[in-house]
Amino acid sequence: ESNTTFLVGAFAAMQRGDLTIQPGLYYIRKGAKFSESGAEVKNNIDYLQIPVLFKFSAPMGTSSRFYIGAGPAIGFQLSCKFVGSAVGLSASTDCEDFNDDEGGLTTKSTEFSGIGVAGLEFGKFAVGLRADIGLTNVYGAAVGDVDLEGDLKTSTLSLVGSIRF
């Protein structure tokens, strides 16, 4: 299931006509939520993400612009937790607690993704949508010395507001 999280950060915009190159630095939380028989487990993975977007914009009226863009991003994992609750009880644990000498679940320290953006700029403000599609697996798994290949990638859709200085 989807999980409501957040992102916060800053970017620089280098504009040349209608084309903008926009490198950024963001703290972003990704994850998932699982529910079954009254129990709920959330997986929160925090990243320091560095995207580089290429945006095209066009005027809409006298004081606003429509923009659309895309680009790559790399995320460096800062933390990973599982948080669970059922029957009024709750608990949390680090993702690394699911890994030992016998194998288990590991999280990857970096994630590569593709970013797509679209929105409106008006004056110093902007509002838009941001799609973040993971290109690399988030988890690895092993049983003893045997690595198990999985295909678990993140995807997020964010409503983003910004103020330009």
Side-chain angles (χ1 to χ4, degrees):
E1 296 179 33
S2 64
N3 190 14
T4 302
T5 64
F6 63 93
L7 69 95
V8 64
F11 60 86
M14 296 167 276
Q15 191 168 357
R16 183 88 166 167
D18 292 335
L19 180 64
T20 302
I21 298 174
Q22 184 177 300
L25 184 64
Y26 295 91
Y27 176 87
I28 183 168
R29 175 169 285 171
K30 298 182 179 186
K33 180 172 54 175
F34 314 94
S35 298
E36 177 98 18
S37 303
E40 181 178 275
V41 176
K42 287 185 182 181
N43 178 217
N44 295 323
I45 308 172
D46 296 335
Y47 292 98
L48 181 63
Q49 187 182 66
I50 303 169
V52 178
L53 303 180
F54 300 88
K55 291 176 29 180
F56 175 78
S57 62
M60 289 188 62
T62 57
S63 63
S64 62
R65 297 179 70 79
F66 171 78
Y67 67 86
I68 189 166
I74 184 170
F76 300 99
Q77 187 187 112
L78 300 173
S79 71
C80 180
K81 290 196 177 295
F82 282 98
V83 179
S85 62
V87 196
L89 301 172
S90 64
S92 73
T93 187
D94 290 332
C95 295
E96 64 192 36
D97 293 340
F98 289 100
N99 192 25
D100 60 24
D101 293 338
E102 305 292 317
L105 184 68
T106 59
T107 56
K108 306 292 177 96
S109 60
T110 57
E111 179 196 40
F112 294 94
S113 46
I115 310 289
V117 294
L120 289 173
E121 298 173 340
F122 41 96
K124 290 185 172 192
F125 302 98
V127 65
L129 289 175
R130 180 182 197 263
D132 182 333
I133 307 299
L135 303 174
T136 53
N137 287 331
V138 176
Y139 290 103
V143 176
D145 293 335
V146 178
D147 288 333
L148 305 173
E149 286 298 318
D151 190 22
L152 187 59
K153 299 173 182 149
T154 63
S155 62
T156 61
L157 182 61
S158 305
L159 178 61
V160 178
S162 62
I163 302 171
R164 292 181 284 173
F165 297 99

